[in-house]
């Protein structure tokens, strides 16, 4: 029943910004933690950011601190990832995760130099 749909990816230049969205359905996302992961071709999937919908504070991996911001809109059961000052090394498929090991299909982010 759980469905996660990411959107907002694209091809951008270094220094540009993107905002990714993850819309959840089939479960009340406002009471569960959600997170963003990313995976570049040929590399392992890595954690990017997480946020609790019922409380707590956002957490980020060191490489994106100060550039990325995770936020939520409980009325829309949606989590966002605002990505500023994008770098070529941010190029990857970005995945949304919901507690219970539910994943979206991902959205591609490509940052050219």
């Amino acid at each position: 029943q759980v469905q996660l749909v990411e959107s907002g990816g694209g091809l951008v230049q270094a220094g540009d910004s993107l905002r990714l969205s993850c819309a959840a359905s089939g479960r009340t996302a406002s009471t569960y933690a959600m997170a963003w992961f990313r995976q570049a071709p040929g590399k392992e999937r890595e954690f990017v950011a997480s946020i609790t919908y019922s409380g707590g504070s956002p957490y980020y991996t060191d490489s994106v601190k100060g550039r990325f911001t995770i936020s939520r809109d409980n009325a829309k059961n949606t989590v966002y990832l605002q990505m500023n000052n994008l770098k070529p090394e941010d190029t990857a498929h970005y995945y949304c995760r919901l507690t219970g090991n539910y994943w979206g299909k991902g959205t591609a982010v490509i940052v050219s130099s």
Side-chain angles (χ1 to χ4, degrees):
Q1 296 185 101
V2 175
Q3 183 79 24
L4 302 175
V5 180
E6 301 98 332
S7 62
L11 173 63
V12 298
Q13 299 287 325
D16 286 353
S17 297
L18 283 173
R19 188 177 74 160
L20 306 183
S21 298
C22 174
S25 63
R27 176 174 289 187
T28 303
S30 62
T31 61
Y32 295 92
M34 297 184 73
W36 288 97
F37 287 73
R38 66 186 181 186
Q39 185 170 25
K43 299 185 181 297
E44 65 183 26
R45 186 172 297 184
E46 66 172 342
F47 168 81
V48 177
S50 65
I51 190 169
T52 59
Y53 273 28
S54 59
S57 60
Y59 299 91
Y60 305 91
T61 191
D62 287 343
S63 63
V64 307
K65 288 181 179 177
R67 298 189 298 120
F68 290 10
T69 302
I70 188 170
S71 62
R72 66 179 185 266
D73 185 338
N74 289 335
K76 297 180 179 179
N77 286 328
T78 300
V79 64
Y80 304 96
L81 185 68
Q82 178 67 45
M83 305 185 293
N84 297 328
N85 301 314
L86 284 162
K87 304 175 180 180
E89 49 263 46
D90 294 318
T91 295
H93 288 273
Y94 284 71
Y95 299 89
C96 179
R97 181 187 184 275
L98 174 67
T99 295
N101 201 34
Y102 298 101
W103 297 84
K105 294 182 178 180
T107 186
V109 173
I110 302 174
V111 185
S112 62
S113 59

